[in-house]
Amino acid sequence: MPHPLITQSDIDTYQRDGVVLVKGLFADHIDALRAGVARNMAHPGPFASENEKAGESGRFFDDYCNWQSIPEFRQVIETSPAAEVAANLMQSESVQVFHDHVLVKEPGTSMATPWHTDGPYYFVEGRQNISFWSPLDPVSEATLRMVAGSHKWEKPVLPTRWVSEESFFPNEDDYMPIPDPDAEGMTVLEWAMEPGDAVAFNYDILHGARGNTSDIQRRAFSLRLVGDDARYVERPGRTSPPFPDHGMQTGQRLREDWFPVIWRAER
Ligand SMILES: O=C(O)CCC(=O)C(=O)O
């Protein structure tokens, strides 16, 4: 039986489309996540970025890989239903933490999150993976936008640097150019969401977000998890996140002392 927050139809949708809305995934953890974001912004980690782009107004803060030093994030990762829901949606017998990601757009932030897929930036491959993107403020205009089914496209989408739009790796020809889903008439999924709702999406789903022209903050917490078939893969340069000195080799499972298993199926 799936966790009560989801149905078999949600699992089928995730397997087919690579994206599904999970209402209330972090509903019991909103205060903890808000406190964690506040702690993160007060003490940014070594990879924090302000995404300052010429001509853009407002503030777009993002940071990742801090959950081990933010007790509120650790507690949510270890006690929320996210691990079990991830196992159900990925159809996996185990769930490992990959990393946390915080993305805050202050009111009046004009910069859009460019269309991208996360997979090519990461050093992990496999079908069983999931991100839960959860707003900690009510969100409509600045919600996440996704192209369903894009995780099954033949070629990966070119990873670029968000601010300069330059290619992230030197092997540009191995990727397809970044599509413009609005201009190309693709169906874009997006939901107005309440704090604690979550969009679950595969690492290879094309997604982006508008700026935040509203007069309230748009705080978002993304939790990235992997399942049974996740394996380390070498990329043609420093990945994002980089995890310096991880010491893994292509084909290995992610090391459990850095990427702990938070859920296993009962046998
Ligand atoms: O919050 C955003 O604007 C983008 C989030 C995103 O790209 C992600 O969580 O992978």
Side-chain angles (χ1 to χ4, degrees):
M1 285 287 283
H3 187 280
L5 283 172
I6 56 168
T7 62
Q8 184 58 46
S9 159
D10 293 325
I11 296 173
D12 297 343
T13 302
Y14 189 72
Q15 291 292 320
R16 185 189 63 233
D17 295 345
V19 48
V20 74
L21 178 68
V22 183
K23 293 288 291 175
L25 182 68
F26 296 113
D28 295 337
H29 301 270
I30 295 165
D31 290 344
L33 289 173
R34 286 178 177 160
V37 169
R39 193 190 291 272
N40 192 171
M41 293 183 81
H43 307 282
F47 308 120
S49 160
E50 290 287 344
N51 294 306
E52 279 159 5
K53 197 170 172 184
E56 304 279 4
S57 60
R59 180 180 184 208
F60 179 6
F61 168 91
D62 90 281
D63 198 1
Y64 51 28
C65 305
N66 296 303
W67 70 272
Q68 279 108 329
S69 58
I70 298 183
E72 296 86 356
F73 287 171
R74 179 186 284 276
Q75 178 231 320
V76 171
I77 289 169
E78 290 174 351
T79 66
S80 78
E84 186 175 347
V85 170
N88 296 158
L89 292 176
M90 293 190 289
Q91 297 284 272
S92 178
E93 304 222 318
S94 67
V95 177
Q96 267 178 287
V97 180
F98 186 32
H99 63 281
D100 57 292
H101 197 158
V102 165
L103 303 109
V104 177
K105 292 187 179 182
E106 298 289 359
T109 297
S110 56
M111 188 175 152
T113 307
W115 289 105
H116 67 285
T117 64
D118 294 329
Y121 296 88
Y122 295 166
F123 58 42
V124 63
E125 268 186 358
R127 276 185 325 102
Q128 290 160 307
N129 63 61
I130 198 160
S131 280
F132 290 115
W133 181 91
S134 181
L136 306 177
D137 305 283
V139 68
S140 50
E141 186 75 4
T143 193
L144 203 62
R145 309 181 71 219
M146 284 139 303
V147 177
S150 48
H151 64 313
K152 293 183 178 163
W153 288 347
E154 254 169 42
K155 250 188 160 182
V157 174
L158 180 73
T160 58
R161 295 184 191 279
W162 283 9
V163 172
S164 66
E165 291 162 28
E166 285 163 12
S167 180
F168 195 78
F169 296 125
N171 59 333
E172 215 166 309
D173 293 344
D174 293 343
Y175 305 95
M176 65 185 274
I178 303 172
D180 180 343
D182 294 314
E184 294 172 38
M186 295 177 184
T187 303
V188 175
L189 294 182
E190 60 179 282
W191 294 276
M193 294 166 70
E194 294 302 320
D197 292 347
V199 179
F201 62 102
N202 182 282
Y203 294 171
D204 288 323
I205 283 288
L206 186 68
H207 62 286
R210 300 183 189 87
N212 177 20
T213 54
S214 80
D215 53 10
I216 59 165
Q217 259 189 326
R218 196 227 57 179
R219 291 167 288 185
F221 174 74
S222 262
L223 178 60
R224 329 271 188 204
L225 305 170
V226 296
D228 301 334
D229 73 351
R231 296 290 181 273
Y232 174 79
V233 63
E234 199 80 38
R235 299 290 189 204
R238 183 178 138 117
T239 56
S240 171
F243 294 106
D245 306 318
H246 56 75
M248 291 180 290
Q249 305 290 326
T250 290
Q252 288 181 337
R253 287 178 61 93
L254 300 193
R255 52 187 292 181
E256 291 185 15
D257 53 343
W258 287 28
F259 306 98
V261 174
I262 52 168
W263 198 86
R264 274 190 214 280
E266 281 170 22
R267 289 177 185 274

